[in-house]
Amino acid sequence: VRLVSADAGPIVGVEPARPIITEPLAPVPEPYGLVVPGGLAWKSEAARPEVAAWLGHAATSARGVQAVSTGSLLLASVGLLEAREATGHWLAGELLADLGARPSTARIVHGRLLVTATGARSGIEAAADLAKEMRFAPR
């Protein structure tokens, strides 16, 4: 597991607040699996060209992709949820639609190797399902 961000180094996480150490995006151009977490800064991250470029490439080359909460908005912002059913944070439905996705109120939306989840609890459940799909997916 590698934690990456555009600004490598410590990021303060919440629930509970603790620093999370990340590494730069560049050394991880094609991850095996990709989990896109949510957060209040999704819009500012989506506006960063280096984040959008990396996310678009990493998500299309990864064997499986999962977005949790507002992470689905990040995927949608780079066109990865265009015309796809997707879920996310309960306040994100209208924004998902604005970004080209088909919003769902389901806790988890499975798109085989692209899964979106509403939050942490459903994200854990979705991750287990995605891991099984990735394990048996053809290369």
Side-chain angles (χ1 to χ4, degrees):
V1 173
R2 297 173 77 174
L3 304 173
V4 298
S5 70
D7 300 319
I11 295 174
V12 177
V14 296
E15 301 173 17
R18 63 183 179 275
I20 299 167
I21 307 301
T22 63
E23 58 184 293
L25 299 171
V28 191
E30 298 183 355
Y32 178 80
L34 178 63
V35 176
V36 182
L40 297 175
W42 77 268
K43 197 171 192 175
S44 62
E45 289 301 307
R48 297 176 72 169
E50 68 275 24
V51 172
W54 183 88
L55 187 58
H57 178 76
T60 54
S61 64
R63 194 148 177 193
V65 178
Q66 177 179 348
V68 180
S69 186
T70 57
S72 60
L73 294 169
L74 275 167
L75 288 185
S77 72
V78 295
L80 295 168
L81 298 180
E82 186 69 36
R84 290 180 178 252
E85 185 178 15
T87 193
H89 189 278
W90 66 277
L91 290 173
E94 192 173 305
L95 292 169
L96 277 171
D98 291 346
L99 294 169
R102 293 189 340 257
S104 171
T105 57
R107 289 178 63 245
I108 300 169
V109 172
H110 294 274
R112 191 160 178 279
L113 296 174
L114 195 155
V115 179
T116 56
T118 56
R121 184 177 224 165
S122 59
I124 292 167
E125 199 176 306
D129 293 341
L130 180 59
K132 282 188 262 183
E133 286 290 332
M134 289 170 60
R135 181 175 179 204
F136 297 110
R139 289 193 177 257

